[in-house]
Amino acid sequence: MSLDSLKSAIPDYAKDLKLNLGSVIGNSDLPAQQLWGTVLATAIASRSPIVLRELEPEAKANLSPEAYTAAKAAAAIMAMNNVFYRTRHLLSDHEYGTLRAGLRMNVIGNPGVDKVDFELWSFAVSAVNGCGMCLDSHEQVLRKAGMDRDTIQEAFKIAAVIEAVGATLDAEAVLAAQ
């Protein structure tokens, strides 16, 4: 399917989401690999079958096989890391922060694509998953690599819109089935 069919499925009461979806993807200044990797990683992170089913084919068509795999890897590793580090951060016992994580995260060091792209995708997934510690960490890496705030904001705008579209369409599917 496609971005257009996803937009057409958005109900009238969520017209802003429809417009925003077209804007954040259709008018993005991100290079194609960064854009479509962000779209794919955040579609996975949204946990919305509808959003993933509609956006994955277009993302796959716009990404190299390596970038496609790396975007999925960013969603996978951040699904784990966001829960782990968010929990560590939220616990009032800060001693957990001194303990060794003991979790394998090799893909972060060798993602198979430019590390800045992988960091951007990891950042966007962290926005969906709400991990402030991961957001800060990835944002600092991106800024040190020379990425400006406008570009970084593009990634979390995409994340916000894709998450909202998923929540809306999944709710509509449940309500329609009643």
Side-chain angles (χ1 to χ4, degrees), residues 117-176:
D117 292 353
F118 192 82
E119 286 288 335
L120 187 68
W121 304 336
S122 296
F123 173 82
V125 171
S126 297
V128 171
N129 292 333
C131 180
M133 185 176 234
C134 293
L135 284 166
D136 282 343
S137 175
H138 293 291
E139 190 268 348
Q140 289 171 11
V141 170
L142 291 167
R143 296 285 291 142
K144 284 180 186 169
M147 190 171 281
D148 61 50
R149 286 179 180 86
D150 288 334
T151 303
I152 294 168
Q153 182 170 282
E154 281 286 314
F156 66 87
K157 282 171 45 178
I158 292 167
V161 172
I162 287 177
E163 174 69 12
V165 168
T168 301
L169 294 179
D170 290 350
E172 284 297 310
V174 169
L175 295 172

Side-chain angles (χ1 to χ4, degrees), residues 10-120:
I10 297 171
D12 288 342
Y13 70 81
K15 182 180 179 182
D16 289 331
L17 295 181
K18 182 184 300 191
L19 296 171
N20 286 331
L21 184 63
S23 177
V24 298
I25 295 176
N27 298 328
S28 177
D29 289 331
L30 293 175
Q33 179 164 296
Q34 288 181 355
L35 170 64
W36 287 103
T38 302
V39 168
L40 179 59
T42 57
I44 293 168
S46 78
R47 295 168 182 81
S48 170
I50 297 166
V51 166
L52 184 57
R53 183 177 55 244
E54 297 299 324
L55 292 178
E56 183 275 340
E58 210 161 338
K60 190 172 190 177
N62 283 284
L63 292 168
S64 69
E66 297 80 13
Y68 176 80
T69 299
K72 293 192 309 181
I77 197 68
M78 295 318 296
M80 176 186 72
N81 283 359
N82 293 155
V83 170
F84 181 82
Y85 287 105
R86 182 176 63 236
T87 301
R88 229 187 210 189
H89 178 73
L90 292 172
L91 287 169
S92 59
D93 184 346
H94 297 288
E95 289 299 312
Y96 287 100
T98 67
L99 301 176
R100 184 178 166 279
L103 298 171
R104 292 182 59 101
M105 303 175 215
N106 293 336
V107 71
I108 294 172
N110 188 18
V113 294
D114 185 287
K115 286 189 181 199
V116 170
D117 292 353
F118 192 82
E119 286 288 335
L120 187 68

